[in-house]
Amino acid sequence: YDISEATGYSVEVSWSGTSPVGVFTLQGSNSGTVFTPIVSSPVTGNTGSMLINVEISRYAFLECVYTFTSGTGTLTAMVNGSRN
């Protein structure tokens, strides 16, 4: 996602399925080609959700990555940005 005009953003993540297990990671980049992890959080349980709030961001691009470990299911991430 191009967030170059956002001063902050939030990511809402929800999942459901049969025992999905993995790690959800937000990564940032200034170039749009090399991404560095910002925050990671485990995904476990049949259903769940999390809200990640970043009040000040100074990078231009955001990438959402889910690293699968086991189970099956669906994961949805929604990004919302704000400008001052």
Side-chain angles (χ1 to χ4, degrees):
Y1 300 97
D2 181 346
I3 60 166
S4 58
E5 302 217 7
T7 55
Y9 64 89
S10 64
V11 179
E12 180 181 69
V13 182
S14 61
W15 62 89
S16 62
T18 305
S19 302
V21 177
V23 176
F24 181 80
T25 305
L26 293 180
Q27 299 186 131
S29 173
N30 286 325
S31 65
T33 56
V34 177
F35 286 84
T36 301
I38 299 164
V39 63
S40 294
S41 186
V43 171
T44 60
N46 293 336
T47 61
S49 64
M50 70 179 94
L51 182 64
I52 303 166
N53 187 46
V54 177
E55 293 184 26
I56 300 172
S57 59
R58 300 287 188 234
Y59 35 90
F61 299 94
L62 175 68
E63 180 176 68
C64 301
V65 177
Y66 176 68
T67 305
F68 168 82
T69 301
S70 65
T72 61
T74 302
L75 182 138
T76 303
M78 298 181 68
V79 178
N80 183 43
S82 64
R83 290 188 278 181
N84 286 341

